[in-house]
Amino acid sequence: MRRAEPEPPADDPPAPGGLRGARSELRRQIRKRRRLRMGVLALVSVLLLGAIPLWFGFQTLSRDPVFDTLDGLDVPGWAAVTTVDDVSGSRWCLLDCRLRERTVESERSPQETTQVYEQALAKDGWRPWRVSHCPEQPAKGSYTCWRRDELTLDLWVREPTCVPPPVDGEPAVLPSPDPSTAAAQCTGSLVSVKVRNAIDDERTRPQPSTDPSLTGEDPFPTLSEDPLGELTPSPS
């Protein structure tokens, strides 16, 4: 009789410690992924919450609120066809206070344009300011001055020049001498608005009553060539 061969030993059951270690490793990886996900969400939230105020702050600093006030003037569309803004100086008056200048093209006559702009300024709280040197130099058209709070405003409405700007260094072409052609091309009006801080406007300061150059008096008389003058004769 053949001797029965022994059966191969069955696989040993997993040790309790190995299963517990696998579960601990799985929990550790889950917690790690959860912390990573929370960290990414927190970073995105901080970036969004910080970027939005930063963007609006940058817009506020780069955009002068005075121009927003001018944009809010209640003027019809034909009175503000093309608008060009220019700004110079410091908003905090470090060296030079800020000067805001706006040039606007209107489709209608200077009389109609002046009327709608003056009505819009009065409606927005501006008050006419009758002061000397308004304008500082003689100007054609309508030139008025206004004040509101700490600002002064110069409004100048006149006929357009109707001379096109030079192109590629070429001189500007003069308008046609034909009156009918010139009338067809030269229509509408041109509006200039200049806004300054009242503290930087010389017209808000006391003005001299008279012009010293018209008094005929020399505040610094010319001295004679002899700095000692003539000697006084001593009594004999």
Side-chain angles (χ1 to χ4, degrees):
M1 295 180 61
R2 294 180 58 184
R3 186 176 179 179
E5 297 180 358
E7 296 180 359
D11 296 337
D12 296 335
L19 181 59
R20 189 180 300 112
R23 292 178 178 175
S24 301
E25 179 67 18
L26 181 60
R27 294 194 190 97
R28 187 180 66 82
Q29 292 181 1
I30 293 176
R31 287 194 299 266
K32 184 177 179 180
R33 295 175 182 174
R34 186 178 301 171
R35 287 195 298 265
L36 181 60
R37 190 181 301 111
M38 294 297 296
V40 172
L41 292 177
L43 180 61
V44 172
S45 301
V46 170
L47 291 178
L48 291 178
L49 294 177
I52 294 176
L54 184 62
W55 168 256
F56 283 107
F58 177 77
Q59 291 291 328
T60 302
L61 292 176
S62 60
R63 177 66 176 178
D64 196 301
V66 174
F67 289 121
D68 295 334
T69 302
L70 297 179
D71 291 338
L73 292 178
D74 188 14
V75 295
W78 56 261
V81 178
T82 304
T83 302
V84 179
D85 292 336
D86 187 21
V87 62
S88 61
S90 171
R91 182 180 300 181
W92 297 276
C93 295
L94 297 179
L95 295 177
D96 296 326
C97 288
R98 176 153 291 190
L99 172 63
R100 303 96 171 166
E101 296 179 283
R102 167 169 288 190
T103 304
V104 184
E105 294 182 4
S106 174
E107 294 179 342
R108 299 192 182 181
S109 65
Q111 293 75 16
E112 293 182 78
T113 305
T114 300
Q115 183 178 3
V116 296
Y117 269 92
E118 289 183 351
Q119 292 177 354
L121 288 173
K123 184 178 179 181
D124 198 44
W126 294 88
R127 294 294 175 260
W129 185 33
R130 296 174 177 84
V131 64
S132 58
H133 303 291
C134 176
E136 299 179 358
Q137 300 293 335
K140 296 181 180 181
S142 173
Y143 199 108
T144 55
C145 297
W146 303 73
R147 284 199 66 173
R148 193 187 76 171
D149 301 331
E150 75 281 0
L151 299 175
T152 64
L153 183 146
D154 290 29
L155 175 65
W156 182 22
V157 184
R158 73 277 190 191
E159 294 181 352
T161 56
C162 299
V163 177
V167 179
D168 297 333
E170 296 294 333
V173 180
L174 297 178
S176 173
D178 186 1
S180 60
T181 305
Q185 296 177 353
C186 188
T187 58
S189 57
L190 194 62
V191 182
S192 294
V193 180
K194 182 188 298 183
V195 182
R196 287 178 284 187
N197 293 47
I199 192 175
D200 191 51
D201 196 332
E202 296 180 355
R203 297 170 297 181
T204 61
R205 306 167 189 170
Q207 301 294 326
S209 57
T210 58
D211 189 351
S213 63
L214 302 178
T215 59
E217 298 180 359
D218 189 358
F220 301 100
T222 304
L223 300 177
S224 62
E225 296 180 358
D226 188 358
L228 299 179
E230 297 182 358
L231 298 177
T232 303
S234 60
S236 56

